[in-house]
Amino acid sequence: MSEHSIHSVLITGGAGFIGSNFVRMMLDERPGARMVNYDALTYAGNLESISDLEQNPNYTFVKGDICDGELLRQTLQAHAVDTIIHFAAESHVDRSILSAAEFVRTNVLGTQCLLEAAMQCGVKRFVMISTDEVYGSLGPDGAFTEETPLAPNSPYSASKAGGDLLCRSYFHTYGFPVIITRCSNNYGPYQFPEKLIPLMIIKAMSGEKLPVYGDGMNVRDWIHVSDHCRAVLAATERGRPGETYNIGGRNEWPNIGIVKELLKILSQPESLISFVKDRPGHDRRYAIDPSKAERELDWKPRIDFAEGLAQTVAWYQSRQPWWQNVMSGEYQQYYEKNYASKMQ
Ligand code: NAD
Ligand code: DAU
């Protein structure tokens, strides 16, 4: 097992859902490591999710775009970065169907720009957070392994596959030490309420209709975000450069099953469910075989789904100011109020 020690890490997209959970976990579990959170603060970036971490002397926030090579090089050099963990992306399938350009810019061009800057600055390890969606859709049986051919179906997944393959090419062409992870659907605290689970929790709490696409029988394989974050840290420290690791919780659910579970936890009636027009090109089923990660990274998911889902509902119930600020757009003022004004 090749062990990599993280001294100074740049996290891209650390103001997003998974990135902010990772920043929190990393500061806690690797208190000796320095961390730069590099994030453009698109609509999905929310500094309120990590406002309690700002005083940590090992933590720095840089507002920056991964397409800005000059700022990337300056940041990597100024902080002597030896490790990059690349979460930043346009991440929502529905938005990619409405408009794909930003997805190609960030997920493909941005990833290439980051790889180039990282290589120029002598970064020792680069971890690409890809997704199980690059494999496309499954029939009723089987699961994606790392050998499953890529067959992305949405502009989102095609752009993620582009970034993923660029990472692969930088390893094969230049020997640049890249590791790729492909995880299934995450749930947990700080998820933007455009995604299934937080959207349904917030609508159910408000007694609104819950829009379920198509027949509700599309299957997703759910994992708690903290289990995903632990797997990313394990891949960074113990993964082999040039390898890909699938990450998942062996926890398949049809969407309608998840929605019914949430209604049960919230004691709301199933009459709130409303079947609506399907997502175009909607992938039918995802399932991840995470055996390689379990075998090679000394990692296993820990959080039981029933417990994790109940905790997630409780989190949204107790953190109304967080999601109300998201709904009102107030969260987008945070940088101006707390960073930009202090720099003048
Ligand atoms: P998110 O949309 O919540 O966060 C994305 C973050 O990236 C935001 O903070 C945003 O401001 C930042 N960002 C976007 N464009 C940028 C740019 N050009 N430069 C710098 N920063 C930029 O996403 P998420 O759900 O936390 O997903 C994080 C990563 O994990 C993505 O790469 C996604 O493809 C992957 N992934 C997500 C899931 C999931 O279920 N959410 C599962 C598997 C893989
Ligand atoms: O599999 C990993 C992927 O999971 C990540 O790469 C993506 O970044 C992440 O967004 C997620 O993609 P999905 O499309 O699976 O997630 P979403 O929460 O948008 O939808 C989950 C399922 O629920 C999907 O089958 C569509 C359905 N759905 C979604 C919404 C928002 C509904 O039925 N109604 C809805 O309102």
Side-chain angles (χ1 to χ4, degrees), residues 267-306:
S267 307
Q268 289 284 40
E270 290 188 5
S271 56
L272 288 180
I273 294 171
S274 165
F275 290 96
V276 300
K277 192 166 170 291
D278 208 355
R279 172 186 278 175
H282 198 174
D283 284 338
R284 193 62 173 168
R285 176 171 166 259
Y286 303 145
I288 273 282
D289 176 354
S291 316
K292 180 178 173 186
E294 291 175 344
R295 210 171 45 242
E296 292 194 13
L297 303 178
D298 189 24
W299 165 88
K300 262 194 190 348
R302 287 180 186 157
I303 302 197
D304 167 74
F305 188 58

Side-chain angles (χ1 to χ4, degrees), residues 63-79:
K63 183 172 190 277
D65 193 317
I66 54 167
C67 297
D68 183 346
E70 194 45 50
L71 181 59
L72 278 173
R73 280 185 289 277
Q74 268 175 30
T75 309
L76 294 173
Q77 280 160 2
H79 295 272

